[in-house]
Amino acid sequence: MLTALTTGLVDAIETAQFATITLVENGEVVSIAVTDPIAARIDELQAKHDVGPCLMSAWEQQRVVIDDYSTETRWPLFTDDVIAQTPVRSSVSFQLYREESSMGALNIHADHPHAFDATAIALGSTFATQAASALHADARQTQFDQALASRDIIGQAKGMLMQEYNIDATAAFEMLRRISQDTNTKLAVLAHRVIASAQRPER
């Protein structure tokens, strides 16, 4: 879906040739939904220099525009590399989300200066909203899947405790909960340990 979104964005904005969604997780820059190697190279150069429009957009501002890389003064080493290694001459980056140690941005690039007027930026903002919604939905699905997996693991551990100590499900869960609190261990982690212990040959 995100790849279709970036491809559709390039098709919708006539002046754009390249696009990508860039994520930063614990300091690592990751490119997803990349339309071509050139867009990926821009992200690689931002990761190399730890500066650039995408990173600034994601961490500091809702939107960052570079009208002309040849006259851009904010990140000289980065812009020099962009000019030397890619045909990109202007960019717009939109913040998708920002958390304590992670962020995301949608980036559009063109092969000529002053490629993005107010209409193009407004259209890009609309696509950014869609991308942010898709990323949010994916994160919620991941959390839901993890919650289901944890519930299954806890259920297995409860069953083992019920059999081992001849107690009911409520008492088994209370035992897990109490040990979890006493040892400051997450319930799912404790459940994994109970299962692993029961499966050891010496057990």
Side-chain angles (χ1 to χ4, degrees):
M1 178 181 177
L2 292 174
T3 300
L5 189 148
T6 51
T7 302
L9 176 56
V10 170
D11 290 339
I13 299 178
E14 295 182 359
T15 54
Q17 286 81 44
F18 325 105
T20 183
I21 292 173
T22 308
L23 307 180
V24 176
E25 298 284 346
N26 298 314
E28 181 180 358
V29 178
V30 179
S31 302
I32 63 172
V34 183
T35 58
D36 54 85
I38 291 172
R41 184 57 183 157
I42 298 295
D43 278 356
E44 291 170 358
L45 293 174
Q46 291 188 100
K48 172 185 174 182
H49 297 288
D50 198 28
V51 294
C54 162
L55 301 183
M56 184 176 184
S57 171
W59 290 120
E60 301 178 25
Q61 300 179 13
Q62 291 293 325
R63 183 178 72 236
V64 176
V65 180
I66 297 180
D67 286 320
D68 188 345
Y69 273 87
S70 67
T71 59
E72 176 59 55
T73 60
R74 285 172 287 187
W75 317 285
L77 295 178
F78 165 71
T79 52
D80 285 349
D81 274 354
V82 170
I83 292 171
Q85 300 180 32
T86 79
V88 171
R89 294 298 176 266
S90 56
S91 301
V92 184
S93 297
F94 302 90
Q95 185 183 87
L96 299 180
Y97 71 91
R98 176 184 171 185
E99 298 175 351
E100 184 176 349
S101 61
S102 65
M103 66 80 177
L106 171 65
N107 312 287
I108 318 167
H109 310 290
D111 60 7
H112 56 284
H114 301 281
F116 305 108
D117 59 14
T119 300
I121 291 173
L123 186 55
S125 181
T126 300
F127 274 81
T129 299
Q130 296 175 359
S133 296
L135 287 170
H136 179 67
D138 181 67
R140 290 189 63 182
Q141 183 62 49
T142 299
Q143 292 171 352
F144 179 72
D145 291 343
Q146 291 173 343
L148 285 179
S150 294
R151 188 184 69 177
D152 290 343
I153 292 297
I154 293 170
Q156 291 180 44
K158 280 171 51 181
M160 291 178 176
L161 293 176
M162 290 167 65
Q163 183 176 7
E164 177 72 16
Y165 296 103
N166 193 27
I167 55 179
D168 61 20
T170 300
F173 181 78
E174 178 59 26
M175 181 184 293
L176 285 171
R177 187 192 64 78
R178 186 173 63 253
I179 297 173
S180 173
Q181 290 180 342
D182 291 346
T183 61
N184 195 28
T185 304
K186 290 184 178 180
L187 197 58
V189 173
L190 179 61
H192 271 288
R193 293 177 181 173
V194 169
I195 294 169
S197 176
Q199 292 174 343
R200 287 201 301 265
E202 63 269 24
R203 179 70 179 84

